[in-house]
Amino acid sequence: MLACYRQLAQILATGRAAVLATVVQTRGSVPREVGAKMLICEDGKTLNTIGGGAGEAKVIQQARLVLQTGVKQAVEIDLTGAPDRDTHGVCGGRMQVWLERWSGDGARELVRQMLTELQAGRSLTVVTPFGVEQSPYCLESGLDIELDQAFVEVLQPDPVLLIVGAGHVGEQLAKVATLVGFELWIQDDRSEWANLERFPQATQIFTQSITETIAQLDPRAQLYIALVTRGYKHDLEALAAILNCHLPYQYLGMIGSKRRVQQVYQALQERGITASQLATIHAPIGVEIGALTPEEIAVSITAELIQVRRCPDRRNICPS
């Protein structure tokens, strides 16, 4: 979500306009969820996707008209594959996409406000009225508009992935996790490894000990932690720091063989860590795909992050 609004902010900063296409309603099987977005720029460039195919092509065509006229509109995409209708795919459902041109000082200020809140880890509610003369705004208090007259969306900050260990796997994991929407925090006490040159995607880099790092973290509702350290003692130190401070997280995974994992667990239990605390750890980390190289391991770990994020019934959430 942050990436889309950062892109929009960059476009508006140049004085140009863009159409923000947002999926506001779905029925049945469709390629994207409510809230999915794409940008259509004045030069014809598009950023992100709402599903591709003929349906997206129709949205892009209509967005060009909205860019010219400024008149917002809804686009219906029929994916039922019905033989008696002009359909845009065979997924089986329907989508409604709202097209709105963003331009000028008001739009720039709104996007700045949204980014400030999201980057600080705070959620916010954005109202997009369907009325011709009304513009989107951030909701400060109770909703004063009928829901059929606006699209009301609660925007959440991007989930944060804390990578503990800035070695080869950590470097590749940062690249892959960024692609799927994670904000990156890196921790390693070796500044020659943990730096912006190796991790340009990172918003925070910590070169203190893991204990000192954990103590200064801002609590985030969507915190994921991947331990890809350089050895047993570093795993032990990191897990002890995380589990003893009762840091809330959505995911905690540790790299290593089953034997190494069991050795770490045994040492943690000797330090008073309970079996229920250990049960929150994904170890060995990642989805089993036979990964060998750092790049393959990064894909395996990211697949597990996505699984935990998108499949609530499979989540293993640490109690706060």
Side-chain angles (χ1 to χ4, degrees), residues 221-225 248-252 282 308 315-318:
Q222 294 290 319
L223 176 62
Y224 295 67
I225 307 172
Y249 54 78
Q250 296 293 309
Y251 172 93
L252 174 59
H282 293 254
V308 171
R315 285 185 182 175
N316 205 352
I317 300 176
C318 171

Side-chain angles (χ1 to χ4, degrees), residues 251 256-258 282-292 296-297 299-305 307:
Y251 172 93
S257 66
K258 291 182 179 180
H282 293 254
I285 199 170
V287 174
E288 180 52 61
I289 58 173
L292 295 176
E296 291 173 348
I297 294 169
V299 170
S300 167
I301 295 171
T302 305
E304 190 167 65
L305 295 173
Q307 184 181 70

Side-chain angles (χ1 to χ4, degrees), residues 77-93:
I77 300 177
D78 187 345
L79 301 170
T80 59
D84 58 337
R85 286 200 299 268
D86 182 18
T87 62
H88 308 99
V90 292
C91 291

Side-chain angles (χ1 to χ4, degrees), residues 199-222:
F199 293 92
Q201 315 91 340
T203 58
Q204 294 196 59
I205 295 179
F206 304 94
T207 54
Q208 307 96 324
S209 71
I210 185 61
T211 301
E212 293 172 311
T213 298
I214 294 298
Q216 64 179 297
L217 291 183
D218 293 328
R220 293 291 182 100
Q222 294 290 319

Side-chain angles (χ1 to χ4, degrees), residues 5 8-9 11-13 15-22 37-40 42 66-67 70 72 98-112 114 126-129 135-138 153 155:
Y5 286 108
L8 181 56
I11 294 168
L12 296 176
R16 293 175 295 161
V19 167
L20 183 62
T22 305
K37 294 174 171 55
M38 73 179 296
L39 290 167
I40 300 91
E42 290 178 326
V66 174
L67 274 170
K72 57 183 75 177
W98 184 252
L99 305 182
E100 178 127 11
R101 186 176 71 180
W102 288 57
S103 62
D105 293 339
R108 280 193 293 272
E109 174 57 27
L110 177 58
V111 174
R112 186 204 62 77
M114 294 162 65
V126 176
V127 179
T128 303
S135 299
Y137 61 91
C138 291
E153 181 180 20
L155 300 181

Side-chain angles (χ1 to χ4, degrees), residues 30-315:
V30 293
R32 291 301 308 271
E33 72 285 2
V34 170
K37 294 174 171 55
M38 73 179 296
L39 290 167
I40 300 91
C41 308
E42 290 178 326
D43 61 3
K45 184 177 180 180
T46 63
L47 302 168
N48 309 311
T49 179
I50 55 163
E56 184 168 292
K58 178 182 179 181
V59 166
I60 294 170
Q61 180 181 12
Q62 293 303 113
R64 292 180 180 133
L65 180 62
V66 174
L67 274 170
Q68 294 174 2
T69 66
V71 179
K72 57 183 75 177
Q73 66 169 273
V75 176
E76 301 290 337
I77 300 177
D78 187 345
L79 301 170
T80 59
D84 58 337
R85 286 200 299 268
D86 182 18
T87 62
H88 308 99
V90 292
C91 291
R94 297 184 182 184
M95 302 168 64
Q96 185 180 89
V97 181
W98 184 252
L99 305 182
E100 178 127 11
R101 186 176 71 180
W102 288 57
S103 62
D105 293 339
R108 280 193 293 272
E109 174 57 27
L110 177 58
V111 174
R112 186 204 62 77
Q113 179 184 353
M114 294 162 65
L115 287 175
T116 298
E117 293 298 303
L118 293 172
Q119 289 168 346
R122 296 186 291 266
S123 61
L124 72 156
T125 301
V126 176
V127 179
T128 303
F130 298 144
V132 174
E133 302 300 326
Q134 297 172 291
S135 299
Y137 61 91
C138 291
L139 186 65
E140 303 291 344
S141 57
L143 186 63
D144 59 355
I145 189 170
E146 296 294 330
L147 291 181
D148 62 350
Q149 298 176 11
F151 177 59
V152 181
E153 181 180 20
V154 178
L155 300 181
Q156 300 288 350
D158 287 342
V160 172
L161 174 62
L162 171 62
I163 300 176
V164 181
H168 300 299
V169 172
E171 184 178 18
Q172 299 307 318
L173 177 58
K175 295 175 183 177
V176 181
T178 298
L179 292 176
V180 298
F182 282 87
E183 179 182 349
L184 269 294
W185 295 351
I186 310 297
Q187 185 280 327
D188 197 302
D189 58 8
R190 304 168 295 174
S191 59
E192 67 272 23
W193 288 81
N195 53 63
L196 281 174
E197 184 177 354
R198 296 188 70 242
F199 293 92
Q201 315 91 340
T203 58
Q204 294 196 59
I205 295 179
F206 304 94
T207 54
Q208 307 96 324
S209 71
I210 185 61
T211 301
E212 293 172 311
T213 298
I214 294 298
Q216 64 179 297
L217 291 183
D218 293 328
R220 293 291 182 100
Q222 294 290 319
L223 176 62
Y224 295 67
I225 307 172
L227 307 184
V228 288
T229 75
R230 60 192 185 274
Y232 167 89
K233 71 174 185 176
H234 299 284
D235 294 334
L236 191 57
E237 180 187 4
L239 285 174
I242 294 165
L243 296 173
N244 281 323
C245 78
H246 304 289
L247 181 72
Y249 54 78
Q250 296 293 309
Y251 172 93
L252 174 59
M254 180 180 67
I255 200 170
S257 66
K258 291 182 179 180
R259 181 180 179 184
R260 174 171 154 181
V261 169
Q262 289 305 316
Q263 289 177 330
V264 171
Y265 282 10
Q266 182 177 348
L268 287 170
Q269 287 178 313
E270 291 171 358
R271 296 188 182 192
I273 299 299
T274 67
S276 62
Q277 287 177 295
L278 294 178
T280 66
I281 305 170
H282 293 254
I285 199 170
V287 174
E288 180 52 61
I289 58 173
L292 295 176
T293 67
E295 293 82 0
E296 291 173 348
I297 294 169
V299 170
S300 167
I301 295 171
T302 305
E304 190 167 65
L305 295 173
I306 295 170
Q307 184 181 70
V308 171
R309 183 183 180 192
R310 300 301 189 189
C311 303
D313 57 331
R314 297 187 182 183
R315 285 185 182 175

